[in-house]
Amino acid sequence: MDFNSIAIIFIGSFLGLIFRIFIQNYLKINIGFDIQNTSIVNFIASFCLGILVALNFNNNDILLLFYTGFLGCFSTFSSFIFQLFVLLRKRKFIRLFFHYIEVIVFSFLFFYLGYFLIIFF
């Protein structure tokens, strides 16, 4: 990997990290039930990934910037796993199950939505 590729990944990672921290710390959404800000970040990342997959970029620099850099740092798989672990330690098995299903199903639906918004329009 050359220096240009590393720089592109770094820029995308930096931007993804800034947006994730902003959403996790400052965005408060109340839609009637409790959704963790980490889940919201994952939903947004899934939506963006669906859009990027539909656009089907062939440029390696764009792929490195957005897929590897931005979405790699923006999405929070490790935080999702940590949330599941905390629920497991607290022995909240039903909540653990529903949180897992919520994130997986909604992430897929947001990916699907982003993908088909580009494909059909």
Side-chain angles (χ1 to χ4, degrees):
M1 185 173 282
D2 62 351
F3 179 75
N4 187 42
S5 298
I6 293 170
I8 290 170
I9 292 171
F10 176 76
I11 292 168
S13 300
F14 178 75
L15 294 172
L17 176 64
I18 296 299
F19 283 122
R20 181 180 75 207
I21 289 171
F22 176 78
I23 289 171
Q24 284 182 326
N25 293 333
Y26 299 110
L27 184 68
K28 304 294 181 201
I29 296 178
N30 185 1
I31 57 174
F33 54 93
D34 185 32
I35 293 182
Q36 301 284 333
N37 281 0
T38 302
S39 298
I40 293 169
V41 168
N42 286 331
F43 301 155
I44 294 170
S46 296
F47 180 75
C48 292
L49 183 61
I51 290 171
L52 291 172
V53 167
L55 291 174
N56 195 22
F57 290 111
N58 291 326
N59 185 331
N60 192 41
D61 291 341
I62 291 175
L63 295 175
L64 288 174
L65 179 70
F66 288 111
Y67 286 101
T68 307
F70 183 81
L71 289 177
C73 275
F74 183 67
S75 64
T76 56
F77 183 73
S78 59
S79 296
F80 167 60
I81 296 301
F82 179 71
Q83 287 176 342
L84 294 177
F85 176 73
V86 168
L87 291 172
L88 182 67
R89 276 192 11 204
K90 291 181 179 179
R91 304 178 66 80
K92 295 184 177 187
F93 301 115
I94 293 174
R95 190 162 178 203
L96 181 145
F97 174 76
F98 283 114
H99 181 63
Y100 174 80
I101 297 300
E102 163 201 7
V103 171
I104 297 299
V105 169
F106 280 120
S107 292
F108 179 74
L109 289 175
F110 276 99
F111 174 87
Y112 190 77
L113 177 67
Y115 182 82
F116 280 102
L117 280 176
I118 297 301
I119 294 297
F120 288 127
F121 296 107

